[in-house]
Amino acid sequence: MTTIAVTGSTGQLGRLVIEKLKARVSGQQSIVALARDPAKAADLGVKARAADYGQPETLAKALAGIDVLLLISSDAIGQRVAQHRNVVEAAKAAGVGRIAYTSILRADVTPIGLGQEHRATETLIAESGLGFTLLRNGWYLENYAGAIAGALHAGAFVGAAGDGRISAAARADYAEAAAVALTGEGHVGKTYELGGDDSFSMAELAAEVSRQAGRSLPYNDLPEAEYAKMLEGIGLPAPVAAMLAQSDVGASKGGLVENGRQLSALIGRPTTPLPAFVEGVLKGL
């Protein structure tokens, strides 16, 4: 019996991974949801254990008997490396056979600042001696849901991504890829660069939303500092605003484009297209 565990199982990605795993597991595989509060995982329909990245004492018990672990990256930017180290060390001590990790597209060379912590985590995993699979996820289409709503309200899209192309895919696409990598054969030691089948620029996103909404919503490109200040002005903390603005600039330098179509190859179907995503967002508004 192979036991598969998923950290961050009550988060947006984690819940989808559990759902995809349940559809794929064989009779010789079982699933464990790891969460800071196992009660919040009760509706997932699988076993749940308490596990907190920041509390190493919870991890040893949580990882006992686990064969394959999906480490979904922490959302605590600035604390990720220390938290991920706790998980990797606990996994090694517990005898986990393989860690799959949700990293960032081309973590080793990305111009996006977020890549630093992902790169350090990949090194921790590689040096642990455990089997590993690196799932270098591109941007989620869902990252733009708020921008669409904001543009409809303000009359324009705003950013600092220039003409940079973005190979985004739906969160469910990445979740399915994780489930495939966790349950299938041949994924040990592999690094997957994952992105949507088709890329788009922010101007093209604006054009697609304009087309479907029936109104003109231009894309206004701003300098990084000006965009960060604008984000602060709508209530984001300064460090978050700076991170988002720098990520946009990273996109302008090619940090979010991936033409290899490894994601659709892994999941065996096309990734979610931009028009379908936009349609879903507009219907939900």
Side-chain angles (χ1 to χ4, degrees), residues 67-79:
D67 300 297
V68 182
L69 172 67
L70 176 63
L71 171 54
I72 292 179
S73 58
S74 164
D75 59 4
I77 296 171
Q79 303 174 45

Side-chain angles (χ1 to χ4, degrees), residues 208-224:
E208 180 59 30
V209 177
S210 298
R211 183 184 71 81
Q212 292 197 34
R215 52 185 288 207
S216 178
L217 299 165
Y219 170 61
N220 297 327
D221 199 62
L222 301 177
E224 180 178 355

Side-chain angles (χ1 to χ4, degrees), residues 182-279:
L182 292 168
T183 58
E185 299 293 331
H187 303 293
V188 179
K190 295 290 185 64
T191 297
Y192 294 106
E193 304 288 355
L194 303 176
D197 288 344
D198 301 305
S199 64
F200 57 87
S201 66
M202 285 301 297
E204 288 170 351
L205 170 62
E208 180 59 30
V209 177
S210 298
R211 183 184 71 81
Q212 292 197 34
R215 52 185 288 207
S216 178
L217 299 165
Y219 170 61
N220 297 327
D221 199 62
L222 301 177
E224 180 178 355
E226 189 175 336
Y227 182 43
K229 283 295 183 184
M230 191 215 77
L231 292 172
E232 285 185 56
I234 62 174
L236 291 181
V240 175
M243 179 271 291
L244 291 174
Q246 195 282 324
S247 295
D248 255 31
V249 172
S252 76
K253 298 176 180 178
L256 292 177
V257 65
E258 169 54 43
N259 298 317
R261 298 198 170 190
Q262 292 186 39
L263 178 53
S264 57
L266 201 57
I267 63 180
R269 61 168 176 80
T271 59
T272 304
L274 179 64
F277 166 73
V278 170
E279 181 181 1

